[in-house]
Amino acid sequence: MSVVLVDAGGTNIGSVRYALQRLGVDAQLTSDAAAIRAASHVILPGVGAAAPGMRRLNEAGLADVLRGLTQPVLGVCLGMQLLCESSEEGDTTCLGLIPATVQHFERRPGLRVPHMGWNTLTATRTHALTSGLRDGDSAYFVHSYAVPVGDYTLASCEYGESFSAVIGRNNFFGMQFHPERSASVGAGLLAGFLAL
Amino acid sequence: MLSRRIVPCLDVRDGQVVKGVRFRDHLVVGEIVDLALRYRDEGADELVFYDITASPEGRRVDRAWVERVARVIDIPFCVAGGIRSVEDARDVLHAGADKISINSPALERPELIGELADAFGVQCVVVGIDSLRDEDGQWRVRQYTGDPSRTRALARRTMDWLVEAQERGAGEIVLNCMGTDGVRGGYDLAQLSEARALCHVPLVASGGAGTPEHFVDVFRQADVDAALAASVFHSGDIAIPSLKQTLRDSGIEVRS
């Protein structure tokens, strides 16, 4: 197995890398197209905003590289949102690999945004990636924008409304929460990705 | 359903965890990584590390221990102390912190909040507010509380600053109620309730936890998203698993 972390200037690269090390996998951090294409598993981390995130991928020539991948690809948090068609955050065109538009949480009284903290996951489809999830499992979320529920949703979460916690289409997957900071539940989901 | 968070706070001085009473007289309570792992195993939902001397001494947080914590911990953690610029924050986030918290530097230069939110997103920008009630009954902000000889009382009203911090891009507010800190008589429910009414981002209560019932009260009466405490956890007087059971029995959603 050769796992790479796409280095597009995101800031949670360190913590994702350490989480993989705790699973016994030493992931290479790279922005090299050939190394990314050659990997068995590709992870796109990301903390920050959609527009600078996409700008970094485009400037590094990585957007088309990612679109052309056939091995399992996992976007984490902003990385998941970048897999979608577009994001309302900064009116950004994203990678277009998941047919969804990333939306800001609806502004309503009493709904505190960002959605921050541990929230329960509900598997909505059977998939090898989420086969380890149990009823009542929680993951750690920190985000203001979310992917609506659709055919691509593998697990959902409730915060004012239902939104996608885990998505998947073909070989492209995303987790809105931070698996690297979601204790044993997150470690189990990362292990599930590495087993794909 | 979103859980209420229990957040042990580790005050860091010279690479060790310390605890004072009313922000003074600090004693060493243990090594950073040992305590971080202990709280993780006991079911803490998040950890906050305050480098309490970085800001008054005008130096940056030491990224070496941030990286050591990030390697072993699989729950989120926030780092505070001495973050004065986007570059300082990037350093700490790259070392593996999930959020950064700013307090005195935000008071020196409020624009910093917006600069950090633009660079990293509001979700990792926490503003800590140290607040004390003055004789006229108003809560006002204190600065440089890590060093009693430099602590300053500001003219700024706590509630005004809380509103401004959110407008500038704070994604979470930690309200340190100095009047109740360290004496274990319960959280400052009056102040936190007033803050809650003005706070549309997550609000973290800090200062005063002494018994599990104090946590029940602060979640029920002040409707905060998280409760932070230090000495009751460091001393072992409150164990997190039994605290969570008390909260669950009171109908408060917590992570199992």
Side-chain angles (χ1 to χ4, degrees):
Chain A
M1 188 188 308
S2 59
V3 182
V4 298
L5 283 164
V6 177
D7 180 8
T11 47
N12 74 333
I13 289 173
S15 49
V16 174
R17 193 172 191 198
Y18 301 145
L20 293 168
Q21 282 172 359
R22 291 192 293 268
L23 292 169
V25 173
D26 200 11
Q28 190 196 345
L29 184 63
T30 184
S31 54
D32 178 66
I36 293 170
R37 288 195 188 99
S40 67
H41 295 75
V42 175
I43 298 179
L44 179 62
V47 164
M54 272 313 295
R55 192 166 59 239
R56 288 193 298 262
L57 286 180
N58 284 320
E59 283 171 3
L62 294 178
D64 284 334
V65 172
L66 289 167
R67 288 188 184 103
L69 295 177
T70 54
Q71 65 272 54
V73 177
L74 176 66
V76 173
C77 197
L78 176 69
M80 155 172 163
Q81 297 180 0
L82 296 183
L83 299 178
C84 297
E85 293 287 346
S86 63
S87 173
E88 287 182 1
E89 188 181 17
D91 196 14
T92 308
T93 301
C94 301
L95 293 167
L97 295 161
I98 305 271
T101 301
V102 183
Q103 296 167 0
H104 195 277
F105 276 110
E106 198 186 325
R107 288 175 172 83
R108 58 170 86 174
L111 192 74
R112 293 153 204 162
V113 175
H115 171 223
M116 188 182 284
W118 295 81
N119 203 333
T120 40
L121 307 177
T122 305
T124 52
R125 251 173 59 194
T126 307
H127 193 283
L129 179 65
T130 48
S131 58
L133 269 188
R134 309 241 177 293
D135 277 354
D137 276 353
S138 294
Y140 187 78
F141 291 85
V142 192
H143 59 125
S144 303
Y145 291 80
V147 177
V149 170
D151 292 346
Y152 44 77
T153 304
L154 301 182
S156 66
C157 180
E158 292 280 329
Y159 191 63
E161 61 210 277
S162 226
F163 67 92
S164 294
V166 184
I167 56 176
R169 187 165 181 259
N170 303 321
N171 57 313
F172 294 98
F173 302 93
M175 297 179 188
Q176 179 60 67
F177 49 88
H178 287 273
E180 75 279 13
R181 287 285 180 256
S182 294
S184 49
V185 170
L189 288 163
L190 280 178
F193 171 70
L194 297 176
L196 293 177
Chain B
M1 201 170 172
L2 185 64
S3 298
R4 306 283 178 164
R5 285 173 276 151
I6 300 297
V7 185
C9 174
L10 295 83
D11 286 349
V12 177
R13 192 179 63 186
D14 303 328
Q16 287 183 304
V17 178
V18 297
K19 179 58 193 168
V21 174
R22 293 191 195 234
F23 284 56
R24 306 179 77 103
D25 306 326
H26 296 95
L27 298 168
V28 173
V29 293
E31 296 302 320
I32 295 174
V33 168
D34 295 345
L35 276 168
L37 273 174
R38 187 185 111 196
Y39 290 130
R40 181 267 177 222
D41 291 344
E42 288 176 358
D45 298 305
E46 189 171 328
L47 299 174
V48 176
F49 297 89
Y50 277 91
D51 191 328
I52 55 168
T53 49
S55 216
E57 289 172 8
R59 61 170 173 80
R60 294 163 80 155
V61 60
D62 171 14
R63 68 170 280 168
W65 62 256
V66 179
E67 203 173 306
R68 289 209 311 275
V69 170
R71 279 181 189 278
V72 298
I73 286 295
D74 61 3
I75 58 171
F77 71 98
C78 177
V79 171
I83 295 166
R84 302 193 127 70
S85 67
V86 167
E87 287 316 303
D88 292 348
R90 181 174 286 127
D91 223 30
V92 170
L93 292 169
H94 270 288
D98 301 281
K99 298 189 259 191
I100 40 112
S101 182
I102 52 172
N103 188 328
S104 299
L107 292 165
E108 288 165 11
R109 203 170 63 80
E111 298 76 21
L112 177 61
I113 301 170
E115 291 167 13
L116 295 172
D118 287 345
F120 309 112
V122 299
Q123 72 285 336
C124 57
V125 181
V126 181
V127 173
I129 302 176
D130 293 328
S131 173
L132 196 60
R133 191 169 217 160
D134 287 322
E135 281 176 7
D136 64 356
Q138 289 286 343
W139 289 293
R140 288 195 185 81
V141 174
R142 297 294 186 272
Q143 192 176 20
Y144 306 125
T145 55
D147 177 355
S149 69
R150 288 196 63 203
T151 297
R152 289 202 303 168
L154 303 186
R156 210 186 276 266
R157 292 195 324 138
T158 300
M159 299 304 153
D160 294 343
W161 178 230
L162 181 137
V163 168
E164 182 182 341
Q166 291 177 84
E167 284 168 356
R168 289 182 177 276
E172 185 170 68
I173 302 283
V174 177
L175 185 57
N176 304 312
C177 304
M178 294 174 69
T180 51
D181 182 69
V183 292
R184 302 195 181 187
Y187 289 97
D188 187 340
L189 299 175
Q191 184 172 190
L192 288 160
S193 298
E194 195 167 321
R196 173 78 281 169
L198 296 168
C199 196
H200 55 77
V201 298
L203 175 65
V204 184
S206 169
T211 67
E213 287 66 36
H214 293 152
F215 289 83
V216 174
D217 292 344
V218 79
F219 288 127
R220 274 215 188 126
Q221 295 180 40
D223 191 21
V224 295
D225 300 276
L228 182 149
S231 62
V232 288
F233 295 138
H234 297 333
S235 64
D237 289 350
I238 294 182
I240 293 170
S242 67
L243 169 59
K244 284 195 163 180
Q245 191 56 50
T246 301
L247 292 167
R248 212 173 280 123
D249 293 344
S250 305
I252 293 163
E253 186 82 13
V254 287
R255 178 175 70 107
S256 38

